[in-house]
Amino acid sequence: MMTNLFSVFDPSAIFNLSLNWLSTFLGLLMIPSIYWLMPSRYNIFWNSILLTLHKEFKTLLGPSGHNGSTFIFISLFSLILFNNFMGLFPYIFTSTSHLTLTLSLALPLWLCFMLYGWINHTQHMFAHLVPQGTPAILMPFMVCIETISNIIRPGTLAVRLTANMIAGHLLLTLLGNTGPSMSYLLVTFLLVAQIALLVLESAVAMIQSYVFAVLSTLYSSEVN
């Protein structure tokens, strides 16, 4: 019986209730627990990552950014990273492969940045629509282009993360479905390919969460 290839991303319902989305919030139970235990290599490694991100985001925000502002983007990075890695385990729902979650993260952030910028720094926001050195004859076109690029920012943030998560999971699903029809020798090569692809997906999970947080930080720094 043929099944839809994209059915691996469908949330399953139990008693007409989709409980898969609860996996998104498991990090609230697991990540804070590292601060309740005795210091370990894992704790020191995770704290060093957070400190590095704090310094980098503070640099991106510039002198107008407050120390507390970086924790918003660090929390965003941690949430996306945790869900990306959770989706690599068997039988765990990948919430970041759905626009429902990614757009819910990107759109409110973008709206807050735009409202804050246009209300408190209106002149700066108007000046940002025309890059410095633009010829007068091209200014109307540049305003249209910059306006469109600003409007599509939450969509590009959400689609980039979703597309990268879907692409890797589809490749793993395709390789897994072809295994039963292969010989033992080809299955060995298939296992090696799946392990290599799983390592690649782990790197993609980290990179995409970092890109999402960095771009959000840059969008925040533009309105100050």
Side-chain angles (χ1 to χ4, degrees), residues 49-222:
I49 292 177
L50 297 184
L51 183 60
T52 303
L53 289 175
H54 170 70
K55 293 178 180 178
E56 183 167 350
F57 292 162
K58 186 174 176 59
T59 303
L60 292 175
L61 290 172
S64 59
H66 301 286
N67 288 330
S69 303
T70 61
F71 293 108
I72 299 175
F73 304 106
I74 291 175
S75 302
L76 187 66
F77 169 82
S78 303
L79 174 66
I80 297 174
L81 180 66
F82 177 80
N83 282 281
N84 288 350
F85 269 115
M86 287 289 289
L88 296 177
F89 291 93
Y91 303 106
I92 295 183
F93 179 66
T94 311
S95 56
T96 49
S97 64
H98 290 257
L99 285 173
T100 305
L101 176 67
T102 56
L103 200 58
S104 297
L105 294 174
L107 188 59
L109 278 175
W110 177 81
L111 284 175
C112 292
F113 297 155
M114 289 296 102
L115 288 175
Y116 175 82
W118 284 105
I119 292 173
N120 297 293
H121 306 287
T122 307
Q123 187 175 0
H124 171 74
M125 295 298 289
F126 274 117
H128 189 68
L129 293 177
V130 181
Q132 189 176 4
T134 303
I137 192 172
L138 296 179
M139 284 183 181
F141 301 100
M142 292 304 301
V143 170
C144 295
I145 294 172
E146 289 293 329
T147 303
I148 294 174
S149 67
N150 280 332
I151 292 175
I152 66 174
R153 277 179 176 180
T156 55
L157 271 179
V159 171
R160 182 188 297 108
L161 177 58
T162 301
N164 279 278
M165 291 297 103
I166 289 178
H169 285 71
L170 283 180
L171 286 175
L172 288 172
T173 304
L174 284 171
L175 290 177
N177 290 338
T178 56
S181 60
M182 290 184 173
S183 62
Y184 289 108
L185 181 61
L186 291 177
V187 168
T188 304
F189 289 108
L190 181 63
L191 288 175
V192 174
Q194 281 192 318
I195 293 173
L197 188 57
L198 193 61
V199 173
L200 177 63
E201 277 301 297
S202 301
V204 170
M206 292 185 287
I207 292 171
Q208 289 304 315
S209 55
Y210 175 76
V211 168
F212 195 101
V214 167
L215 288 178
S216 301
T217 308
L218 289 174
Y219 295 159
S220 173
S221 64
E222 288 182 0

Side-chain angles (χ1 to χ4, degrees), residues 24-44:
T24 308
F25 306 102
L26 287 177
L28 299 177
L29 300 177
M30 299 179 64
I31 293 179
S33 63
I34 66 174
Y35 301 106
W36 304 340
L37 306 174
M38 294 297 292
S40 63
R41 292 182 180 179
Y42 172 75
N43 296 352
I44 296 173

